[in-house]
Amino acid sequence: MSEAVVPDAMVSPAVGGLHGEKAGGPAVDFSYVGIDAILEQMRRKAMKQGFELNIMVVGQSGLGKSTLMNTLFKSKVSRKSVLATAQEKIPKTIEIKSISHDIEEKGVRMKLTVIDTPGFGDQINNENCWQPIMKFINDQYEAYLQEEININRKKRIPDSRVHCCIYFIPPTGHCLRPLDVEFMRRLSKVVNIVPVIAKADTLTLEERDFFKKKIREELRANGIDVYPQKEFDEDAEDRMINEKIRQEMIPFAVVGSDQEYQVNGRRLLGRKTKWGTIEVENIAHCEFAYLRDLLIRTHMQNIKDITSSIHYEMYRVRRLNENNTVMAHANGIPEHHLAAHEM
């Protein structure tokens, strides 16, 4: 049986096509452009560059700051883990100590910097004890700004800006102390603050719920905007998720532990007591899992974006305005002329 000859003009371009598909092979979608490939390109570039995250922990001694950081990243990342001394004295003033680590998980590299503030709130007179912390945060903004305005600036500026400050509230069960209110009121204007109730296993469930509600009321009464801030919600979906965090989870009642125990045939992180084991990652026992999800799994990039586009931007604008004012004075331009120009 002889084959019929089909003229070239009758051959469909979908057969054979640009991709060299054989007749009868999978059909080629000629409406596909490939714009979605940008996601893979961005992923590859980000994987090559790696990520940076700078977390500050603030609170009195003995509230479990180091343990919580080790629990969050399942590694010995805290200052005490790295620089443990036989006998550590309480510093007379606040010291700022930073420890950086390179962490890798499933091919994703991250430079994690943990900034500790030993000495905060440990003195009899804690007046203005937030000032060294405020200065440190602004110094990081200044260092970034100076790199940014250099004529020959680096292709990728090292980011030492504090992305998040975890503030540890003692588990008193009553109300915030004046020190807590003053610190968060001042620092919430320059950094993302996430308040946590430390060692929450010392409170009963009723005490914990009352304490959390009381803290939320005091934050509202004092005009303290902790992360996630309401005015930075990007859309309705973000608003719904963040509203749940603001109304139900803040402050996170957490328990930290880097010790593993066997419970019902499973190995898990916990704190062993005479009446049982407190499971750190069990949401029925504490809210550590919610805090970890916020900081790492769902909001990490948003925390970094707000640091860059809001907190750092406010600092940058203020500094550049200061420089303009100084230059204007040096050139003999009156202040009201400068103000009129800015308007």
Side-chain angles (χ1 to χ4, degrees):
M1 187 175 176
S2 60
E3 294 181 358
V5 178
V6 182
D8 289 345
M10 294 176 66
V11 177
S12 169
V15 180
L18 296 173
H19 298 281
E21 301 280 2
K22 292 183 179 179
V28 177
D29 180 7
F30 280 92
S31 65
Y32 177 71
V33 176
I35 297 170
D36 61 342
I38 188 69
L39 294 173
E40 180 59 23
Q41 294 171 40
M42 291 169 69
R43 190 190 72 83
R44 281 204 306 270
K45 185 176 181 181
M47 292 281 278
K48 284 179 185 175
Q49 290 180 341
F51 300 88
E52 294 168 310
L53 180 66
N54 308 318
I55 295 183
M56 175 180 275
V57 289
V58 179
Q60 283 179 285
S61 300
L63 291 181
K65 300 189 296 294
S66 299
T67 304
L68 185 70
M69 294 311 297
N70 293 343
T71 313
L72 271 173
F73 294 97
K74 298 190 188 301
S75 304
K76 301 287 185 184
V77 298
S78 67
R79 171 185 59 87
K80 283 189 176 178
S81 301
V82 179
L83 302 174
T85 55
Q87 193 174 20
E88 193 174 60
K89 294 179 181 177
I90 295 174
K92 291 181 181 177
T93 57
I94 294 174
E95 299 175 18
I96 312 287
K97 297 187 177 181
S98 301
I99 299 290
S100 293
H101 305 267
D102 289 314
I103 298 175
E104 187 167 338
E105 184 180 56
K106 295 184 179 179
V108 178
R109 291 180 296 108
M110 187 172 75
K111 182 185 178 186
L112 170 69
T113 302
V114 179
I115 304 136
D116 200 355
T117 55
F120 176 83
D122 289 340
Q123 311 306 314
I124 294 172
N125 181 4
N126 289 304
E127 189 178 0
N128 297 333
C129 64
W130 54 81
Q131 286 181 351
I133 297 171
M134 178 84 84
K135 182 180 184 302
F136 178 86
I137 292 170
N138 284 331
D139 284 349
Q140 307 319 303
Y141 290 150
E142 182 65 26
Y144 195 92
L145 176 63
Q146 292 307 317
E147 286 286 352
E148 203 175 46
I149 62 178
N150 271 345
I151 295 172
N152 299 315
R153 65 181 179 183
K154 296 172 183 174
K155 187 177 178 182
R156 192 173 183 213
I157 300 171
D159 191 0
S160 63
R161 297 171 296 183
V162 179
H163 299 127
C164 178
C165 172
I166 304 177
Y167 186 75
F168 287 70
I169 300 167
T172 61
H174 300 297
C175 59
L176 291 174
R177 301 167 301 167
L179 173 62
D180 301 326
V181 171
E182 196 62 23
F183 176 89
M184 287 191 280
R185 189 177 66 80
R186 289 173 181 269
L187 270 292
S188 62
K189 293 177 173 60
V190 297
V191 70
N192 296 313
I193 288 185
V194 176
V196 301
I197 300 171
K199 296 190 172 180
D201 53 328
T202 60
L203 300 170
T204 66
L205 293 179
E206 291 78 12
E207 288 171 340
R208 193 177 81 179
D209 290 343
F210 172 79
F211 195 28
K212 282 166 66 75
K213 186 180 175 185
K214 184 75 174 168
I215 289 171
R216 285 196 292 268
E217 288 172 359
E218 292 190 62
L219 291 174
R220 279 195 295 271
N222 288 282
I224 299 168
D225 281 331
V226 296
Y227 184 85
Q229 299 93 327
K230 191 178 290 187
E231 61 266 36
F232 305 142
D233 292 343
E234 293 182 0
D235 52 40
E237 186 184 359
D238 275 358
R239 196 175 305 115
M240 187 176 69
I241 295 168
N242 292 342
E243 205 60 45
K244 184 177 174 65
I245 294 170
R246 286 188 285 262
Q247 292 181 1
E248 297 176 22
M249 299 180 191
I250 295 288
F252 297 91
V254 297
V255 177
S257 174
D258 44 18
Q259 299 294 316
E260 282 192 355
Y261 295 98
Q262 192 89 13
V263 179
N264 298 328
R266 295 179 298 124
R267 292 201 64 79
L268 45 83
L269 293 170
R271 283 168 59 86
K272 201 170 185 64
T273 66
K274 286 182 179 180
W275 50 88
T277 304
I278 297 158
E279 301 171 25
V280 167
E281 299 187 67
N282 186 339
I283 56 173
H285 292 194
C286 77
E287 296 173 337
F288 167 81
Y290 292 142
L291 174 67
R292 180 197 56 207
D293 288 353
L294 177 85
L295 293 177
I296 301 172
R297 300 185 180 181
T298 61
H299 285 63
M300 183 194 288
Q301 189 57 48
N302 185 252
I303 286 170
K304 293 176 66 176
D305 289 345
I306 287 178
T307 298
S308 181
S309 62
I310 306 296
H311 296 305
Y312 168 68
E313 195 62 24
M314 286 173 65
Y315 179 85
R316 190 185 71 86
V317 168
R318 189 174 76 246
R319 285 286 289 113
L320 294 180
N321 280 338
E322 286 172 5
N323 289 346
N324 289 342
T325 304
V326 170
M327 288 177 66
H329 287 168
N331 294 327
I333 300 173
E335 274 193 37
H336 63 273
H337 283 187
L338 192 65
H341 177 70
E342 287 174 359
M343 289 173 67

